Amino acid sequence: VVLGALLSDTTLAVANDYTVDAGALLISPASTSPAITTLDDNDLVWRTIASDALQGAALAYLVEKRDYQEIAVLYSNTAYGNGLFDILTRTWNDAGMTDRLDDSRFQTIVYEVEQGSLVTESLIDRATQLFSTESYRPDAIIIMGSIESQQILSALDDNYFGDLTEEEKPVWILTDGGRDPGLFGTTFDALRPRIVGTSPQEVTTPATAQFEARFEAESEIQLEVAPFADNAYDAAFLA
């Protein structure tokens, strides 16, 4: 049995290239791409976290509930980013909210995640073209990415929205891949009131409360800043 991986692209690649042919069980604690659900895997690939078929829909309804009118979406060209983007737009289409996808209100930037460079020059250049246009001031910017989400948020907010009043500045919406301990540090104190997001979360029960207490006592790390630690435990337990 293999426990992992974290990123959906890695889980898919390992499954397709190695574990399925080897007849080995693969259990991911964190890979959320909907593509894993339909993988031709001989029933050998599993996960202990919800599919982004759920998170993408939740994201669509979060935007609707808060009534953000102009939305920009920055998403990584990965199984994770593409999957979330597909579910987000499909949810709006299926729910009859096609006006949300109007070009005057909905702008997108798909970016590559390059080794050793979390915020690429290409992304900055395209963001400059989009956010430097005074006629386009999004109410909210969604980032569908992983560890690079923080760097993108930090780099873009000061550069393009620093001169606006707090009321004029956009809300940043992160998905679970961007839920990193660094967001809880002092660097983001001023930004935190404008950061919201979506993430799979289990219902609190006596068992989950007991796990949290034991985990924090053993590791001296708070569970809320150790993403997917509980899912990883579940994967090991099941194995």
Side-chain angles (χ1 to χ4, degrees):
V1 60
V2 176
L3 303 183
L6 181 68
L7 300 178
S8 294
D9 282 278
T10 307
T11 295
L12 289 164
V14 170
N16 285 320
D17 295 344
Y18 300 103
T19 58
V20 173
D21 286 345
L25 185 65
L26 180 68
I27 310 177
S28 170
S31 297
T32 54
S33 170
I36 293 172
T37 302
T38 56
L39 189 65
D40 184 11
D41 61 0
N42 292 332
D43 215 23
L44 288 169
V45 180
W46 296 81
R47 54 183 161 197
T48 53
I49 194 166
S51 165
D52 280 332
L54 299 175
Q55 184 177 192
L59 194 58
Y61 286 106
L62 171 68
V63 170
E64 186 68 16
K65 181 178 180 180
R66 297 197 173 202
D67 199 29
Y68 298 127
Q69 293 299 308
E70 294 190 340
I71 309 295
V73 180
L74 283 56
Y75 66 101
S76 61
N77 188 21
T78 60
Y80 176 77
N82 289 318
L84 271 171
F85 183 77
D86 177 62
I87 297 296
L88 172 73
T89 54
R90 195 190 312 171
T91 300
W92 282 337
N93 270 314
D94 292 347
M97 306 177 198
T98 52
D99 59 314
R100 286 259 170 224
L101 302 171
D102 186 272
D103 288 344
S104 64
R105 302 173 60 194
F106 186 69
Q107 299 289 331
T108 63
I109 297 177
V110 57
Y111 63 89
E112 302 294 333
V113 179
E114 298 177 10
Q115 188 70 26
S117 178
L118 297 178
V119 181
T120 65
E121 290 184 12
S122 171
L123 173 58
I124 295 298
D125 288 344
R126 293 168 67 194
T128 299
Q129 295 176 23
L130 181 59
F131 298 133
S132 295
T133 305
E134 291 186 6
S135 60
Y136 184 69
R137 283 287 180 261
D139 300 322
I141 302 172
I142 302 172
I143 305 179
M144 299 172 174
S146 187
I147 58 173
E148 75 278 2
S149 299
Q150 277 187 56
Q151 284 77 12
I152 292 172
L153 187 159
S154 185
L156 300 187
D157 196 76
D158 282 343
N159 284 350
Y160 305 112
F161 311 114
D163 294 335
L164 301 179
T165 66
E166 285 302 306
E167 291 73 20
E168 294 172 326
K169 292 179 180 179
V171 169
W172 293 91
I173 304 176
L174 303 183
T175 54
D176 65 314
R179 192 185 71 183
D180 187 277
L183 286 172
F184 300 93
T186 56
T187 304
F188 290 92
D189 277 351
L191 265 171
R192 199 169 295 115
R194 293 191 288 114
I195 299 176
V196 298
T198 55
S199 178
Q201 184 174 354
E202 60 282 303
V203 176
T204 300
T205 66
T208 59
Q210 187 181 73
F211 173 82
E212 180 176 0
R214 290 184 174 184
F215 176 86
E216 293 179 356
E218 181 72 21
S219 65
E220 298 183 352
I221 299 172
Q222 287 188 312
L223 191 59
E224 68 177 8
V225 295
F228 314 115
D230 45 356
N231 302 86
Y233 181 93
D234 289 343
F237 182 87
L238 287 169

